[in-house]
Amino acid sequence: MTASRRPDADAAAAAALRPLTSDELAAWLATSTTDYADDLEAAGLSRAAAERKADESTAREFPGGIPAPGQHVYAVTVSGEHVGVLWLAAGPADDPTNWWILDIVVFEPFRGHGHGRRAMLLAETEAARLGAAKLSLNVFARNAAARSLYASLAYEPTKIYLEKTLSSRER
């Protein structure tokens, strides 16, 4: 399937997950770490703090570039074509059936074709297969497209963080 073709019912049925190859994992990990730092910076952290937090998270969840136990990273494919990446994480020890989507990305050429929705449905199926009773995720407030997708799939807000940057006269 080419990026310019709209998926049809057959393509929806052909959506699948597969493990990333080691090269794909390394490339995604580098991009994901940078993207996370960018999001943290956009949310108000200094660049240095954002990079430090993203690097610490990567080192914890992917020691030596390999997924730690409970971390599951997949290629999202449609009709055999790699269109994105999904990262699922097992629930914490105090709530092992509450799994997390830690990253879901549809590559730029494939956006706007329903692949994000397909990836989310695959995430739900895979998480349930692995023992999840609930699936959670975080989304940055500025990501309106993702928030709309999640709402359309019946994901509900459970926490809302608010902040205000104070001017020098307010400090």
Side-chain angles (χ1 to χ4, degrees):
M1 183 170 110
T2 63
S4 60
R5 247 180 64 199
R6 286 258 180 224
D8 55 20
D10 292 334
L17 299 176
R18 68 162 173 77
L20 290 177
T21 66
S22 59
D23 288 344
E24 289 169 338
L25 179 64
W28 166 79
L29 198 51
T31 300
S32 179
T33 302
T34 299
D35 289 349
Y36 185 42
D38 292 346
D39 285 337
L40 291 170
E41 182 180 24
L45 288 183
S46 70
R47 186 64 194 180
E51 287 175 350
R52 186 173 46 259
K53 184 171 182 172
D55 289 343
E56 288 169 356
S57 175
T58 297
R60 182 179 55 254
E61 307 301 344
F62 296 90
I66 305 297
Q71 306 304 313
H72 305 269
V73 186
Y74 305 95
V76 177
T77 65
V78 176
S79 299
E81 189 162 21
H82 185 186
V83 302
V85 176
L86 169 68
W87 174 15
L88 291 174
D94 64 340
D95 193 1
T97 63
N98 181 22
W99 281 54
W100 285 81
I101 296 174
L102 294 181
D103 196 11
I104 185 164
V105 62
V106 173
F107 303 138
E108 186 68 41
F110 301 102
R111 292 181 185 161
H113 299 282
H115 301 315
R117 176 172 297 280
R118 284 187 189 88
M120 288 296 295
L121 295 173
L122 288 167
E124 292 172 6
T125 299
E126 182 67 0
R129 185 185 74 77
L130 293 169
K134 182 168 60 173
L135 193 55
S136 299
L137 57 85
N138 287 320
V139 61
F140 285 96
R142 66 187 175 90
N143 193 342
R147 289 180 22 238
S148 177
L149 171 62
Y150 305 148
S152 77
L153 290 167
Y155 286 77
E156 297 178 2
T158 57
K159 297 176 188 170
I160 298 174
Y161 295 96
L162 303 172
E163 67 180 37
K164 177 181 178 181
T165 301
L166 302 176
S167 68
S168 60
R169 67 176 168 72
E170 295 169 312
R171 285 188 253 160

